[in-house]
Amino acid sequence: MKHTGGATITGLNASDSAALIPVMKPWLDEAEAQAAAEVVLSGWVAQGPRVAEFERAVARRLGAEHGIAVSSCTTGLHLALLAAGVGPGDDVIVPSLSFIATANAVRYCGATPVFADVDPGTLNLTPQTIESAWTPRTVAVLLVHQAGTPADVDAVAALCATRGAVLIEDAACAIGSTYRGRPIGAHSDLAVLSFHPRKIITTGEGGMILTSREDFAVRLRRLREHAMSVSAAQRHELRRPVLERYLELGYNYRMTDVQAAIGLAQLEKLDAIVARRRERASRYIAAFADMPGLQTVADPPYGTTNFQSFWILPDGRYHISQEEFLSRLLDAGISARRGIMAAHREPAYAGMASRALPVTDTVTTRSIILPLFHAMTDGEQERVITAVRDVLREACR
Ligand SMILES: *Cc1c(COP(=O)(O)O)cnc(C)c1O
């Protein structure tokens, strides 16, 4: 292992892009390039056989009954909420502490997102925070596995069952994480994955809805394709004319075969990516273990995380703003990010009533996400560790 001294770091220039350590970099190589080229040369580039194959492969890998590929996790959440029957006048409980798409998807349905606070350890909703946000119009809970850390799905599912609400998992970040020994994605009626490059495996843009319910699967496949009675791919295969019907208001939320082919190559790498991220994360955890008042992301007692984002949360003894922290890291050639955003603090949610969310407010204003990617070298990680320790030591005086 090569240790880089503090002197080297001060000598780096943030504008020297060759030296900048990115916060994330997907693992893409010849395998994905060839898979995409094959699809292009086949002449069928829209949703077709590769999408169907990718759906079967992901569902099998995660132990779900059906996979429905879509253009993103955001569009997948929209369709999952529609399948669950969410509509105007309904309330859906969501964490404010999430990427904004979580709450937006509820609004796409004409329903109202009701924000609940999160657990300070996992940054996820709990039965207690959900119960305290419950309204008479609550029909569903959108449970996020934030940064890949599994939420306590069984406990939330039990609460939803008692109250007659639908549980939908926003598993955008959580492919490769586990809950009570099983992969995230197969624990409830509806779970949605993301294949954005900032997530664990990527198709450029893309998502997938997982469901155990045949009726949901049939309707979701239709809704993503204009609610046509016969899919374009089926119509292409049939040797007779088919006059399709449009059965309800549908959408164009399809994934392409080019994306699915890339996804199939990425899926082969999933285990290696998760193993590597967990190994890099444990090095970070060990390196910061002696810093008082510095919390880091970690496995919950009931599962394992893929460490989709490696966040750290310095407590009040560190006198440094997020912006100052990020700019100090940038000076050291390190591209970090502010911690997870909070929708209730954004202009898009101005004027929408929200209860007090003390944990959310603390986490969103104080946490920092550090670089973590498959190809990250020992030297790069040492540079990050040294820079973070230097910044925090100074901020603690
Ligand atoms: C990234 C993310 C999304 C959106 O995923 P896209 O595929 O980019 O639409 C939704 N929810 C959470 C929690 C996310 O992190």
Side-chain angles (χ1 to χ4, degrees):
M1 190 190 342
K2 191 171 136 284
H3 286 267
T4 313
T8 319
I9 288 164
T10 351
L12 281 170
N13 185 338
S15 64
D16 180 0
S17 62
L20 195 70
I21 300 174
V23 72
M24 179 57 153
K25 188 160 67 179
W27 176 18
L28 295 165
D29 55 31
E30 273 306 310
E32 288 80 8
Q34 261 176 26
E38 275 168 29
V39 172
V40 171
L41 296 173
S42 80
W44 186 277
V45 289
Q47 178 183 288
R50 288 287 87 75
V51 166
E53 193 183 337
F54 186 43
E55 290 174 337
R56 285 192 298 271
V58 173
R60 197 183 318 119
R61 173 66 178 72
L62 300 186
E65 212 70 44
H66 311 276
I68 298 95
V70 283
S71 53
S72 69
C73 175
T74 306
T75 56
L77 289 170
H78 182 192
L79 295 190
L81 287 158
L82 291 176
V86 172
D90 292 335
D91 286 348
V92 177
I93 294 177
V94 303
S96 169
L97 191 79
S98 182
F99 184 58
I100 199 156
T102 307
N104 283 353
V106 175
R107 289 171 70 186
Y108 299 160
C109 301
T112 305
V114 174
F115 296 127
D117 212 352
V118 293
D119 175 80
T122 63
L123 309 190
N124 289 323
L125 299 181
T126 67
Q128 292 71 36
T129 68
I130 294 169
E131 283 231 73
S132 58
W134 209 276
T135 70
R137 301 198 295 188
T138 299
V139 298
V141 173
L142 203 39
L143 182 64
V144 177
H145 303 288
Q146 193 50 254
T149 308
D152 194 349
V153 197
D154 286 352
V156 175
L159 172 66
C160 288
T162 308
R163 298 241 186 181
V166 182
L167 171 61
I168 300 168
E169 293 172 75
D170 179 342
C173 305
I175 192 168
S177 297
T178 65
Y179 177 75
R180 300 200 187 281
R182 287 198 297 147
I184 287 288
H187 292 85
S188 60
D189 281 347
L190 290 159
V192 191
L193 307 169
S194 171
F195 304 120
H196 184 274
R198 182 69 185 75
K199 310 302 162 79
I200 295 293
I201 60 170
T202 187
T203 59
E205 294 279 359
M208 193 175 295
I209 310 165
L210 301 167
T211 181
S212 50
R213 281 182 49 172
E214 173 83 24
D215 57 334
F216 280 174
V218 169
R219 177 137 184 258
L220 289 164
R221 283 184 208 292
R222 260 200 334 244
L223 283 173
R224 75 168 162 193
E225 196 171 12
H226 309 288
M228 285 191 319
S229 56
V230 185
S231 78
Q234 285 170 330
R235 209 173 32 189
H236 177 75
E237 278 163 21
L238 292 170
R239 295 266 160 181
R240 58 188 165 77
V242 183
L243 303 183
E244 78 282 3
R245 302 300 306 270
Y246 298 84
L247 303 171
E248 59 179 316
L249 178 66
Y251 304 85
N252 179 358
Y253 286 170
R254 286 173 296 210
M255 177 182 275
T256 69
D257 261 20
V258 183
Q259 291 168 297
I262 293 170
L264 281 162
Q266 286 273 285
L267 194 59
E268 298 277 319
K269 296 173 172 171
L270 176 62
D271 289 342
I273 289 173
V274 172
R276 175 75 172 169
R277 295 188 74 83
R278 288 183 59 78
E279 182 263 325
R280 293 284 109 176
S282 64
R283 284 180 94 230
Y284 269 144
I285 290 169
F288 299 133
D290 65 335
M291 312 275 302
L294 182 73
Q295 191 192 335
T296 67
V297 56
D299 284 332
Y302 48 71
T304 59
T305 172
N306 58 19
F307 291 98
Q308 180 267 338
S309 283
F310 192 91
W311 55 261
I312 58 171
L313 180 62
D315 73 6
R317 82 192 72 187
Y318 297 96
H319 303 284
I320 186 165
S321 72
Q322 256 174 341
E323 206 175 346
E324 179 64 17
F325 202 142
L326 292 177
S327 103
R328 290 285 311 277
L329 291 179
L330 210 51
D331 288 344
I334 295 158
S335 176
R337 291 286 179 272
R338 72 161 170 171
I340 297 123
M341 63 166 299
H344 80 283
R345 300 165 67 98
E346 294 301 318
Y349 283 79
M352 294 184 71
S354 174
R355 70 189 43 250
L357 302 168
V359 179
T360 297
D361 284 325
T362 302
V363 171
T364 197
T365 52
R366 299 199 60 86
S367 59
I368 297 285
I369 291 170
L370 300 181
L372 180 58
F373 50 94
H374 189 78
M376 189 176 205
T377 64
D378 286 354
E380 284 170 328
Q381 195 171 16
E382 282 305 320
R383 266 175 61 195
V384 178
I385 290 166
T386 307
V388 169
R389 291 183 63 95
D390 286 351
V391 172
L392 286 174
R393 213 177 294 116
E394 262 182 57
C396 204
R397 283 178 316 201

